[in-house]
Amino acid sequence: MTNSFEIDGITVPFSNGQTIMDAALTAGIYIPHLCHNPEFKPHGSCRLCTVLINGRSVAACTTPAGEGIVVENETHELVTQRRLLLKLLFVEGNHTCPGCEKSGACQLQAVAYHCGMLAPEFVHFYPKRSIDASHPDTIIDFNRCILCELCVRASRDSDKKAVFNISGRGIQAHLTIDSPSGKLADSAFNSSDKAARVCPVGAILPKHKGYNIPIGQRLYDQAPISQVGDVAKHQEVADE
Amino acid sequence: MSSPIKVATASLAGCFGCHMSLLDIDERLIDLVGHIQFDRSPLTDIKKVGPCDLGLIEGGVCNAENVEILKAFRRQCKILVAVGACAINGGVPAMRNQYSLAECLEEAYLHGTGIDNPQIPNDPELPLLLNQVHPIHEVVWIDYFLPGCPPSADTIFTFLDELLSGRPIQFAYQQIHYD
């Protein structure tokens, strides 16, 4: 007899130690997320995976699954809330999709499509941020960073390098690179690192292959993220 | 179908790509002809916008003239729609927001490559540039947003078709994209 709980009326089996997100991913039920990647310790910061258990808001990626709990996921209220969060993410950075190499394979876009966002609608911040093109193989565009900390976790836990970190608080929070000059070229980063392949947006990009796959033929151009899953998973497959 | 609806269109800080996409609906234009009458639009060359049912705005707001046109559209149009990435978030023109206006003008007219007789244009007929490029919803209330660079002809047709027939406006997955 396996343990089970319910997401939007669907019975989902789980094993001990699994989070709601783990069990949902295994069962093929999509809960929107940006900072979660099953290969790394959950971070619970983007809040897009917020679901309701008995009317209480919890992050699906950090909350353990429990026998018989009833989880609400794709409700009108939660989708509206997620759309709001996404709009805030869009106006907080500089997300010029038509000029971004990641467009079409960007998880921020894909989740926003899933949640039915037509436009950010808030006042745009247009923060002044830089680009680090110092490294021969990889470019960092800070304009697009959403502070998901996936590169931080990958570099620290997988690559054992801790090249990336988040500094500052609140609206001042920003991605930093651990090197004497603060530039990627002077860090221990290598383009074969795990950290090079986990960015859900166009903040960490490989150089020289931006348009190998034409716009229109990219991961999320034809099928929604709820069907094809996270971009990081596909990047792994493409690299092998 | 009852009497045709009046439609006005304008391109502000845009590239006319969204207008090209409107024309890209090809032979379906013939279906629309009986239902739509154009008021002010680059397609008619009428200069002043009159009372309209629908206004389609391409491009963001980058100068004083853009602001005037946009406010006139809002006064005259029952439904005002932001068409395309630039109207929605400033788009590529808004990439100049990373620099001061002086830096932009100096780069373009004084220090750029291949410039003959360097001077910043100051003819009184030229609309004054704003310090930053803005999405149109930061200036007036917008009723609907059609994303894309440009929104595909299919997206624009679906929108017009559903609006004319009074159905709820819904798009297929492939019809909504931000690039």
Side-chain angles (χ1 to χ4, degrees), chain A residues 103 113 117 122 126-127 220, chain B residues 89 98 137-138 173 178-179:
Chain A
S103 195
Y113 295 156
M117 188 191 95
F122 291 115
Y126 298 119
Y220 302 123
Chain B
N89 69 9
Q98 292 294 303
H137 71 260
E138 290 184 14
Y173 177 76
Y178 306 147
D179 58 9

Side-chain angles (χ1 to χ4, degrees), chain A residues 52-63:
Chain A
L52 290 181
I53 302 174
N54 299 329
R56 275 185 59 213
S57 298
V58 299
C61 71
T62 56
T63 307

Side-chain angles (χ1 to χ4, degrees), chain A residues 14 78 91 138 175 228:
Chain A
F14 74 97
L78 285 170
V91 300
T138 303
L175 185 67
V228 297

